[in-house]
Amino acid sequence: MTSTVPASLTRSADGAALQAVFLDMDGTLVDTEGFWWDAEVEVFADLGHQLDETWRDVVVGGPMTRSAGYLIEATGADITLAELTVLLNDKFEDRIGRGVPLMPGAERLLAELAAHNVPTALVSASHRRIIDRVMASLGPQHFALSVAGDEVPRTKPYPDPYLVAAQGLGADPMRCAVVEDTATGVAAAEAAGCRVVAVPSVAPIAPAAGRIVVQSLEEVDLLFLRTLITAPH
């Protein structure tokens, strides 16, 4: 976990009920979920295995260990989890090195949160080496803190990453809004007690109590997130 938050920013500037905003990375802020699948397809092709398209929904949004472990078991590939993790990260990093497309509405939302001094954290199941590369495209100045999947004992779907982010910003998880694109991420945020906006990228996510599902990040702004916190649940 890396943090640059000053003590003065552990609450939103106007004292609103919303204390912090946590944002997922892949598929939420940057259009990279397809990059991961392409990397997995290429790596396994090099190993002599073809991935079934139906497996994509299984591995999306999960931690590297779970996704890679599933694909090893499904294909029977002769490779260890540690070896595969290195290959996948290398392949993905090569892809993002050519440019990272932002999701519609991402740049506008980040700018609005920064303009209103809302403490914002990037919370991802991706490893630190990947987050740091993507942050260069997103603008590291937009984030008071970032939490990587290889920096917590248990990553998504466990609540740990969001609990770590809340603690790092001195915020009450129940007064934090989370934007996620996968069921795995949504489960992690809700288990932490946060209010969630789901913006599905690959697989659908059903509405539920304390959760709102929208079609695009363009529907999400600061007023929307504040309302999510203050609305009755």
Side-chain angles (χ1 to χ4, degrees):
M1 178 183 72
T2 61
S3 174
T4 57
V5 63
S8 60
L9 288 188
T10 55
R11 293 292 183 272
S12 49
D14 58 4
L18 176 68
Q19 293 181 352
V21 174
F22 303 147
L23 300 161
D24 173 55
M25 189 176 75
D26 296 300
T28 299
L29 290 177
V30 290
D31 191 9
T32 51
E33 290 290 12
F35 285 19
W36 278 115
W37 178 248
D38 291 344
E40 289 159 349
V41 168
E42 289 182 21
V43 167
F44 276 90
D46 291 342
L47 296 171
H49 298 275
Q50 181 175 352
L51 300 188
D52 191 312
E53 185 71 24
T54 61
W55 297 341
R56 183 173 182 172
D57 288 350
V58 179
V59 300
V60 67
M64 173 75 74
T65 51
R66 189 197 72 182
S67 300
Y70 174 86
L71 293 175
I72 290 174
E73 183 176 352
T75 60
D78 183 18
I79 189 171
T80 67
L81 184 59
E83 291 168 338
L84 180 58
T85 296
V86 171
L87 292 177
L88 290 174
N89 273 326
D90 286 347
K91 186 73 72 173
F92 184 79
E93 194 167 1
D94 176 64
R95 283 183 167 271
I96 63 176
R98 306 172 209 164
V100 181
L102 271 59
M103 297 296 285
E107 186 173 6
R108 187 259 321 149
L109 178 59
L110 289 173
E112 183 181 14
L113 294 174
H116 289 83
N117 292 326
V118 178
T120 302
L122 187 68
V123 182
S124 175
S126 291
H127 290 186
R128 171 56 57 189
R129 60 180 283 198
I130 300 299
I131 286 181
D132 287 346
R133 289 292 299 273
V134 175
M135 286 267 278
S137 297
L138 289 172
Q141 72 277 9
H142 291 122
F143 304 98
L145 178 148
S146 61
V147 180
D150 57 339
E151 295 174 338
V152 289
R154 302 183 306 174
T155 188
K156 305 173 187 180
Y158 294 100
D160 304 38
Y162 285 109
L163 293 174
V164 168
Q167 182 179 28
L169 294 181
D172 177 356
M174 293 190 68
R175 293 188 180 276
C176 297
V178 173
V179 185
E180 275 279 1
D181 73 305
T182 67
T184 299
V186 167
E190 290 179 345
C194 303
R195 303 305 180 191
V196 181
V197 180
V199 190
S201 63
V202 176
I205 300 173
R211 176 198 311 168
I212 295 178
V213 181
V214 299
Q215 296 302 308
S216 168
L217 204 58
E218 293 183 308
E219 300 176 47
V220 181
D221 58 16
L222 180 54
L223 178 60
F224 181 100
L225 296 173
R226 283 178 171 160
T227 302
L228 184 69
I229 299 298
T230 57
H233 301 284

